Amino acid sequence: MKLKTYLKGAALVAMATFLAACGNTASGGKTEIEFFSQKPEMQATLQEIVDDYNKSQDDVTVKLTSVPDAGKVLKTRISNGEAPDVINIYPQNADFKGWAADGQFVDLTSEKEILNQLNDGAAQTYAVNDKIYNIPLTTNVSGIYYNKDAFKKLGIEVPKTLAEFQEIVAKIKADGQTPFAEALGDAWTFNGYAQLAWIQSAGSAKAANDYLRFSSKGAISASDKVTKNVGAYLDLLAGNGQKNSDGALYADTVAAFASGDALMMANGSWALPVIKQQNPNFEVGFFAMPGLTSDAPAMTVGAADMAVSISAESKNVNAAKDFVKYLSSAKAMQKYYDVDGSPTAVKGVETEGKFKEIADVAALAFTDQQAVWLQSEWTSEETFWNANVSYIKSKDLTAYTEALNTFFDTMK
């Protein structure tokens, strides 16, 4: 009896060991891995890339997952110990950093065949405790879209300083036109502009977060020069939007800009495909946020967009690494770039002459003129969005700083 029990137990252990070694197996004996995406607008292209990979070899089958509320779903799955094998995740975010430090992702620091396909330093930018847990393939950038034809007709050039920016807005208004397309009903749409206002006013992204996030409680003051300069940048938006901008949403502001009802729109590289869908009858341009003075470099803000990590819980880490290596190749990312247009860190992708509309700002990506989103050091960001909109509506700098102190003091 004891012998039979022992043999039965040994058989179960052997079977468990076999299954653990095999991991998930698709039909035909192939290893199956899951690729979880948070880019629904790129689902069709990502599926093409996955299909190309699946056809390129006989050992691994990748299945693409794209679901509504992907960020929330991903958090739940990681919390439940059900993380996908390969995950499109944003390494600038606080939750990623916490998960990486907690050992949720595979250390890719030694994966030279993957890392050598990227521009130097691209992955190191998002290292956690000096280890690489994420492969950033593309980045987004923020700036100001503008109507090139209208600018030319008014004799306006891209501003190089805050003062020139103020002059441009005044000239557009004097001509009876609307300076900005705005979506005050979608507070997130001002996030890039507001962060750039803080970065330029403070002198750098680090200085901005030192003032906002890492200063003492209650330190943000309406009387400080930095805050007053931020107010000057935000004042350019105040009362200068299209009709009904108070309740306008993202789609409304894109439509207002693309139709020519407003000559500028503060937003990010992700908005270009949506703008082009509207078929504007003018040439679209995109400029970075000018500094306070002419010797201050123009800046953009953004961070990794299509970026991937491998779950440490994956039973098929080697297969996942092979797919990430393919996804990081010039061949795969060329297909992605040709649709998305976001600046890419992958070597060998042909970008010359493509997506000319955002080229001036895209050229700043992966340089010291691209700041990483300030909220990478915050625990949340929605209150910041709402504070910016409240200021744009009221121009009350004291109320603005009070709201910011209330928000940031919880992190201090």
Side-chain angles (χ1 to χ4, degrees):
M1 183 69 178
K2 288 183 178 179
L3 179 60
K4 292 174 84 174
T5 302
Y6 171 80
L7 291 173
K8 182 178 180 181
L12 290 172
V13 170
M15 179 60 72
T17 302
F18 173 76
L19 290 173
C22 291
N24 297 331
T25 304
S27 58
K30 286 188 174 184
T31 298
E32 182 178 297
I33 62 172
E34 179 187 6
F35 173 31
F36 186 95
S37 168
Q38 297 195 67
K39 299 286 292 178
E41 71 277 12
M42 291 299 291
Q43 182 176 353
T45 303
L46 287 172
Q47 187 61 60
E48 287 183 24
I49 293 171
V50 165
D51 291 344
D52 289 344
Y53 173 75
N54 289 339
K55 292 173 185 175
S56 72
Q57 42 74 50
D58 298 322
D59 299 320
V60 182
T61 296
V62 176
K63 290 202 170 181
L64 176 66
T65 297
S66 182
V67 296
D69 294 323
K72 292 181 181 179
V73 172
L74 181 60
K75 287 182 180 181
T76 300
R77 290 186 61 177
I78 290 177
S79 297
N80 292 342
E82 300 171 348
D85 300 284
V86 178
I87 310 166
N88 167 211
I89 191 168
Y90 307 118
Q92 64 273 17
N93 290 352
D95 52 6
F96 171 85
K97 295 176 183 178
W99 287 328
D102 195 40
Q104 292 285 344
F105 306 119
V106 173
D107 181 359
L108 301 172
T109 310
S110 299
E111 298 300 322
K112 300 306 179 186
E113 287 190 345
I114 297 174
L115 296 172
N116 287 343
Q117 297 185 114
L118 307 183
N119 293 333
D120 292 344
Q124 286 79 1
T125 298
Y126 303 104
V128 176
N129 297 329
D130 297 322
K131 293 182 179 180
I132 294 170
Y133 296 99
N134 185 270
I135 304 300
L137 303 174
T138 69
T139 184
N140 48 48
V141 289
S142 293
I144 296 92
Y145 287 96
Y146 68 105
N147 183 326
K148 279 191 170 184
D149 294 353
F151 268 43
K152 185 175 182 181
K153 189 175 293 185
L154 290 173
I156 295 174
E157 295 184 355
V158 169
K160 293 181 175 59
T161 65
L162 172 59
E164 290 181 6
F165 203 176
Q166 292 167 327
E167 291 170 4
I168 283 173
V169 171
K171 192 165 188 177
I172 292 172
K173 291 179 70 176
D175 194 59
Q177 300 195 65
T178 301
F180 289 97
E182 299 177 6
L184 292 167
D186 259 343
W188 69 267
T189 59
F190 297 96
N191 187 40
Y193 184 97
Q195 289 199 26
L196 285 167
W198 278 101
I199 290 166
Q200 290 290 34
S201 297
S204 69
K206 182 182 182 303
N209 257 339
D210 283 347
Y211 184 78
L212 292 170
R213 170 69 176 82
F214 299 109
S215 57
S216 58
K217 287 188 176 183
I220 304 169
S221 172
S223 63
D224 287 347
K225 186 176 181 180
V226 169
T227 309
K228 289 180 179 179
N229 284 331
V230 171
Y233 278 104
L234 295 179
D235 284 348
L236 296 177
L237 302 174
N240 289 326
Q242 78 280 14
K243 291 181 180 178
N244 303 317
S245 60
D246 271 11
L249 302 179
Y250 174 51
D252 301 319
T253 193
V254 172
F257 173 71
S259 66
D261 290 345
L263 302 193
M264 292 182 286
M265 181 181 74
N267 220 292
S269 51
W270 56 84
L272 181 60
V274 188
I275 294 170
K276 294 176 78 170
Q277 287 173 7
Q278 302 282 333
N279 296 315
N281 62 357
F282 57 85
E283 188 176 357
V284 175
F286 195 44
F287 63 85
M289 182 70 92
L292 294 174
T293 59
S294 58
D295 59 345
M299 291 291 296
T300 185
V301 65
D305 195 36
M306 173 46 63
V308 293
S309 294
I310 298 173
S311 170
E313 296 176 347
S314 173
K315 295 180 175 62
N316 300 292
V317 169
N318 287 335
K321 287 181 179 178
D322 191 68
F323 174 63
V324 170
K325 178 183 173 183
Y326 178 83
L327 189 61
S328 307
S329 68
K331 177 183 178 182
M333 286 314 298
Q334 186 71 60
K335 181 167 285 190
Y336 189 94
Y337 173 82
D338 286 346
V339 177
D340 180 68
S342 295
T344 179
V346 176
K347 297 175 182 176
V349 175
E350 293 294 331
T351 61
E352 188 70 29
K354 299 180 179 181
F355 299 96
K356 295 179 181 179
E357 298 91 343
I358 63 171
D360 291 343
V361 181
L364 306 182
F366 305 108
T367 74
D368 56 7
Q369 285 178 260
Q370 181 193 25
V372 174
W373 289 109
L374 298 181
Q375 73 262 20
S376 65
E377 303 283 357
W378 308 347
T379 56
S380 62
E381 57 185 309
E382 289 83 356
T383 302
F384 177 76
W385 303 346
N386 295 329
N388 294 319
V389 168
S390 293
Y391 177 80
I392 292 167
K393 289 180 177 180
S394 69
K395 296 180 67 173
D396 186 336
L397 200 58
T398 298
Y400 181 53
T401 55
E402 288 175 353
L404 292 179
N405 277 320
T406 299
F407 173 56
F408 285 107
D409 280 359
T410 63
M411 307 177 205
K412 298 176 179 178

